[in-house]
Amino acid sequence: MTTTNAQSWWQQNVPTALAEHDWCFTHVRDRIDLGAWQAFTRDLPRDPYVERRWKRMSWLALDEQGRMKSLGECPMAQGGQYNDAESMADKLRWYPALEQDFLARPDVRAFVEAWAGLWGLGANEPILMQITGVRGSGELDPLQGQGIHADGCRYLSIMVLDRHNVSGAESVLYADRKGQNLLADQVMVPGDVLHLRDDRLFHGAKALRQEDPAQPYERFIIIINSSFVDGFQNRMLRRHFPEAVIHEHIA
């Protein structure tokens, strides 16, 4: 998939909005089998580092022909300047990989390849893709301590995968970390995607509540990001993927 074709995979306004504003909302409901993707939330393992969270993640990249490939295992590593949560900051976090049946899906491969093309990524640049989310009852901070934050990368997209018996959990976007300059405040439904330049903007999510208190809730998202500016993460990527392309000027 060439960069031109990858950009045309998205709605027409997406490349222009990113170029002009560094963020945009879009959706992929006409591009993927959303129901099939949602099925992969059922067997997610519990997150060993964060209570009431479930998670898988994989490190991916494009090959020389622009096709998605798996890189192998590397921990998630977020320095304290990018993550305020004690359970996550300055720790090496290991998670089970995304299921092979998921990664082998043609619409998943097309999504990753088009996402990489949208941001102009080349071969062997590490891409982190996660399925993560929460289940339970009562009110919950879906970010569980991270607050208004950046993820420590240049290119970041968040897609709501599933949302059941949930009110709130609005996605918010700011020009500043203190949250004084609000750019967006929107409830995202399954299939919605928020693209943003993570090195220029800050994001978060509001509290999540049960609509029906007699039934549990769940909310799952896909996070995909690349071109890391967090030196802690880049050190781990160099150690585990010696052939990967790490941009030294942002390490």
Side-chain angles (χ1 to χ4, degrees):
M1 183 181 289
T2 66
T3 298
T4 301
N5 289 338
Q7 289 187 348
S8 66
W9 194 88
W10 303 96
Q11 290 179 311
Q12 189 174 4
N13 68 307
V14 169
T16 301
L18 291 175
E20 293 180 354
H21 308 298
D22 295 326
W23 67 277
C24 72
F25 285 106
T26 186
H27 71 84
V28 294
R29 284 180 289 276
D30 57 344
R31 296 289 191 178
I32 68 172
D33 185 339
L34 186 58
W37 286 35
Q38 289 169 341
F40 288 93
T41 66
R42 296 170 191 157
D43 295 323
L44 285 179
R46 283 182 174 268
D47 188 321
Y49 309 96
V50 184
E51 292 184 5
R52 288 203 285 175
R53 179 179 287 179
W54 283 255
K55 187 182 187 101
R56 287 184 183 271
M57 73 175 209
S58 287
W59 289 99
L60 311 169
L62 300 182
D63 64 16
E64 298 294 342
Q65 288 72 47
R67 295 187 295 260
M68 189 197 88
K69 66 177 182 178
S70 295
L71 291 179
E73 289 192 339
C74 175
M76 177 181 282
Q78 288 180 313
Q81 71 269 40
Y82 296 106
N83 194 322
D84 293 335
E86 290 185 8
S87 60
M88 294 176 263
D90 297 316
K91 292 179 170 63
L92 296 181
R93 290 183 284 151
W94 297 88
Y95 293 99
L98 296 170
E99 294 177 78
Q100 285 303 309
D101 286 349
F102 176 74
L103 293 176
R105 290 186 55 85
D107 55 355
V108 171
R109 301 179 69 88
F111 173 85
V112 173
E113 291 164 9
W115 184 87
L118 178 66
W119 297 110
L121 299 182
N124 298 312
E125 295 188 52
I127 299 167
L128 178 59
M129 187 176 190
Q130 310 169 52
I131 299 178
T132 183
V134 292
R135 293 185 173 107
S137 59
E139 187 168 293
L140 177 71
D141 169 13
L143 298 176
Q144 295 176 286
Q146 293 181 76
I148 299 170
H149 68 288
D151 282 15
C153 60
R154 278 184 167 177
Y155 312 127
L156 169 69
S157 299
I158 301 165
M159 177 186 127
V160 172
L161 184 56
D162 205 358
R163 179 184 169 105
H164 177 68
N165 197 33
V166 167
S167 63
E170 297 91 342
S171 297
V172 287
L173 189 66
Y174 299 92
D176 64 305
R177 190 165 187 175
K178 292 183 179 179
Q180 295 178 344
N181 189 352
L182 178 68
L183 300 176
D185 182 339
Q186 181 167 315
V187 172
M188 294 172 61
V189 300
D192 284 352
V193 179
L194 170 60
H195 296 303
L196 67 139
R197 278 290 302 258
D198 184 71
D199 58 336
R200 298 176 180 173
L201 303 172
F202 299 85
H203 63 280
K206 294 183 178 180
L208 175 158
R209 300 174 298 278
Q210 286 171 273
E211 288 187 335
D212 178 356
Q215 301 293 327
Y217 63 72
E218 59 181 47
R219 179 179 182 267
F220 288 95
I221 60 175
I222 283 179
I223 304 172
I224 183 167
N225 59 331
S226 187
S227 199
F228 293 88
V229 298
D230 187 338
F232 186 26
Q233 185 65 81
N234 278 336
R235 288 194 295 275
M236 293 303 105
L237 290 170
R238 290 192 193 95
R239 179 181 302 173
H240 292 270
F241 307 135
E243 303 302 317
V245 174
I246 308 294
H247 296 285
E248 298 295 334
H249 66 282
I250 63 168

